[in-house]
Amino acid sequence: LVLILEALLIVVNCDGDAALQWLSLLAPAIMRIWAENVRDPFLGATARDVIQALANQPKCNAELTQLLVPELARVFRTPEEQPEMLVEASLDILACLLKACVDENVARGAFVATFENVATLAKTSDDVGIVQNALDAMKAFLRAAKGEAILSWGGSDPSSVSRAYLDACATSLQPHCEEGAALFVAPLLGQMIRRLPSIIGPMIPEMCDAVCARLQTATRPMLIASLLCIFARLAHVDANALVTLLASREIQPSPENENSKTQLEFVLKKWCEGQPDVHGRFDVKLTSTALGLILATQHPTLIDGSIVLKGRPIEVELPPGTIRTRSRAKQTGPEQFTQVSAPSKIISLLADSLAEAKELEADEWEEDDGGGGLNGEEFDDDDENDDEDDDDEPTGWSGDIFEKIMLKGLLDGDFFDDEEADDKDDPIDDIELVPFLEEGFKRLQSTTGGLLDAVANDLTESQRVTLTKVFSSS
């Protein structure tokens, strides 16, 4: 059965017309196989892949959603009666349908049927997987609505919808909440900041309090990096207002917040320590550019020297000829670091980001210039024959399946690109990181009377070389 599903997956991916033709028969059967084998890592997972492939076919998504949502809604209404993992997996299926949905009316119908119960699961469930997938589904609803229209979908009370979103986020930001469940709250909050500005705007001070409280107890680098993206998103809205707000809100000094006195000091400490743990092309761009915007504010609290951050490791001198080992390193005590100003630390991080971005660009150019393979010129000799056969391309379920894959371009690199559409249609994604950082450094040098020269001693040799290249090219 797994082999049949895998073959069906290939056909669905490469022939949307055939998938649509058989959808009314395929969808119920595959849904039944998936539900009965949801815990099976092979059969259940492959059935889920077929459902997602059908959802990703624009011609199939609307009908598929209308077929599956009633059954998903039944699961969400009676979660305590469902087999293990079925609720969590059903939320995942709902998110798959919504992320690929292009018909607002279809998304609205799914919202009316499921949203209230999905929001309840996000707020009340003690299952980490259910909370994660419920938050992801709520984010998918926001994207499908493309803004604040969601507040009145299906005749809903706008205040109840906004409250459902705020309550779900507040629950996952509680310091006692399991860290795995909190991982998905940051992407949801990021979309709320972007798509529900009238709701989030008045709540920003309380949101900053909640995120800071969660950061104090967070231990997983992935969670810390995720929460930092919330502040990065706010910096892109208004960096000066964010710095002013964080600087005005005191925080009780404690070991958990590294004895910081204000939220600004605490967030900058966490951000500068956690920036290397930010991964993913979009999140790196989001946080790096946000740091640049914060530095560009030249806010008095930021540049007056009152905020001191961790700099480079201090290497302990050993006797000549002594080999540095772990045991000798332990004998010297805890690792120590230099202490640097906030602007100095941010500049060092941005210099590293610039160097990495340039290296990535160089690698991409090398790949583009390499040629060959499926996109190269090795197949030029066959072009004429291909043209002759174009009119004979098989349709429906017939024909050579590998030929269909090649014709549909499913082996192209973009087919395997798993970046979410949330990121691709985000204005921040349009920012070119290298020009943004280079222009930022040049502007900073000209407007601050040589700030970069003043912090040069706090930079590594490679960071200084990176900045020197920026100014030598101007």
Side-chain angles (χ1 to χ4, degrees):
L1 188 53
V2 171
L3 293 177
I4 294 174
L5 289 172
E6 288 177 343
L8 187 58
L9 175 62
I10 295 174
V11 175
V12 170
N13 276 325
C14 68
D15 198 332
D17 290 326
L20 178 62
Q21 180 182 353
W22 294 92
L23 183 62
S24 60
L25 296 176
L26 280 175
I30 296 171
M31 189 69 173
R32 184 169 60 254
I33 294 171
W34 168 80
E36 292 174 354
N37 300 276
V38 69
R39 298 179 62 189
D40 190 309
F42 298 106
L43 189 54
T46 308
R48 185 261 185 208
D49 289 342
V50 176
I51 295 172
Q52 182 173 25
L54 287 168
N56 288 340
Q57 285 287 359
K59 297 178 180 179
C60 299
N61 181 272
E63 184 177 343
L64 180 68
T65 302
Q66 291 166 345
L67 285 170
L68 300 189
V69 161
E71 182 60 26
L72 296 176
R74 184 190 64 78
V75 172
F76 302 149
R77 282 195 301 269
T78 57
E80 66 284 347
E81 299 176 8
Q82 307 307 320
E84 184 181 0
M85 289 185 64
L86 185 59
V87 176
E88 174 185 346
S90 296
L91 288 163
D92 174 57
I93 294 294
L94 177 62
C96 287
L97 296 171
L98 292 170
K99 288 175 183 178
C101 184
V102 294
D103 188 328
E104 184 177 319
N105 291 326
V106 173
R108 185 186 295 112
F111 176 90
V112 173
T114 64
F115 180 79
E116 183 176 351
N117 291 317
V118 169
T120 299
L121 288 170
K123 185 171 64 172
T124 62
S125 178
D126 56 2
D127 185 299
V128 172
I130 289 177
V131 174
Q132 288 182 336
N133 287 356
L135 293 173
D136 195 36
M138 294 177 73
K139 180 166 73 78
F141 274 122
L142 268 182
R143 180 182 177 275
K146 296 181 173 62
E148 298 192 350
I150 194 174
L151 299 177
S152 56
W153 265 7
S156 302
D157 177 9
S159 62
S160 66
V161 176
S162 61
R163 177 50 54 189
Y165 273 101
L166 294 172
D167 287 348
C169 293
T171 300
S172 294
L173 285 174
Q174 291 293 325
H176 63 268
C177 180
E178 211 282 333
E179 293 199 352
L183 273 174
F184 279 56
V185 74
L188 175 57
L189 270 174
Q191 288 305 308
M192 290 171 64
I193 293 169
R194 179 184 170 198
R195 301 183 187 275
L196 299 178
S198 68
I199 303 300
I200 288 297
M203 303 297 297
I204 286 178
E206 289 77 9
M207 183 175 68
C208 290
D209 292 344
V211 176
C212 285
R214 193 68 187 90
L215 272 173
Q216 291 184 55
T217 59
T219 58
R220 294 187 188 180
M222 186 180 298
L223 175 58
I224 294 172
S226 177
L227 294 173
L228 292 174
C229 289
I230 298 173
F231 292 110
R233 178 70 69 173
L234 291 173
H236 275 275
V237 175
D238 190 333
N240 193 68
L242 174 64
V243 174
T244 300
L245 173 66
L246 295 179
S248 68
R249 299 184 79 81
E250 296 183 353
I251 190 169
Q252 188 64 35
S254 69
E256 288 75 17
N257 61 37
E258 303 181 32
N259 292 313
S260 302
K261 297 179 180 179
T262 65
Q263 288 184 1
L264 178 62
E265 182 180 2
F266 172 63
V267 169
L268 286 177
K269 286 180 179 179
K270 282 292 187 181
W271 197 334
C272 292
E273 291 176 15
Q275 182 65 23
D277 295 316
V278 176
H279 300 291
R281 183 190 60 83
F282 180 82
D283 285 349
V284 169
K285 179 181 292 188
L286 171 68
T287 52
S288 297
T289 52
L291 279 174
L293 293 172
I294 289 173
L295 181 62
T297 65
Q298 290 296 288
H299 193 280
T301 309
L302 190 67
I303 63 175
D304 65 5
S306 61
I307 298 177
V308 179
L309 304 177
K310 186 186 296 184
R312 292 176 291 166
I314 299 175
E315 293 189 5
V316 178
E317 293 291 335
L318 296 176
T322 303
I323 299 176
R324 184 182 297 275
T325 63
R326 291 183 179 178
S327 59
R328 288 196 178 98
K330 289 181 179 179
Q331 292 173 5
T332 61
E335 188 174 20
Q336 296 182 340
F337 296 83
T338 60
Q339 300 295 302
V340 299
S341 66
S344 177
K345 182 63 178 180
I346 294 175
I347 289 169
S348 68
L349 289 172
L350 294 180
D352 288 338
S353 294
L354 178 58
E356 291 169 6
K358 284 187 172 182
E359 183 178 353
L360 182 60
E361 280 190 356
D363 291 342
E364 290 175 349
W365 275 107
E366 289 178 6
E367 291 177 5
D368 291 341
D369 292 343
L374 293 173
N375 297 320
E377 300 178 356
E378 296 178 14
F379 303 107
D380 286 351
D381 293 339
D382 298 328
D383 285 348
E384 293 181 4
N385 294 333
D386 291 342
D387 293 339
E388 293 174 3
D389 295 336
D390 281 349
D391 294 336
D392 298 325
E393 180 186 348
T395 59
W397 294 96
S398 61
D400 180 8
I401 195 64
F402 185 74
E403 181 184 0
K404 278 182 170 289
I405 295 173
M406 296 296 292
L407 290 173
K408 295 297 182 180
L410 297 186
L411 294 184
D412 186 86
D414 290 341
F415 175 69
F416 299 100
D417 188 354
D418 61 353
E419 292 176 342
E420 286 199 28
D422 281 339
D423 298 342
K424 290 182 177 180
D425 68 2
D426 194 311
I428 294 173
D429 194 47
D430 294 333
I431 298 174
E432 295 293 337
L433 186 56
V434 170
F436 178 93
L437 293 177
E438 289 182 336
E439 291 302 316
F441 279 129
K442 293 174 183 177
R443 193 179 305 112
L444 190 67
Q445 181 73 343
S446 63
T447 59
T448 60
L451 173 62
L452 298 180
D453 297 330
V455 303
N457 291 334
D458 296 327
L459 306 179
T460 65
E461 181 62 28
S462 62
Q463 291 165 350
R464 286 194 289 268
V465 169
T466 297
L467 294 182
T468 299
K469 290 181 179 178
V470 170
F471 298 112
S472 63
S473 63
S474 57

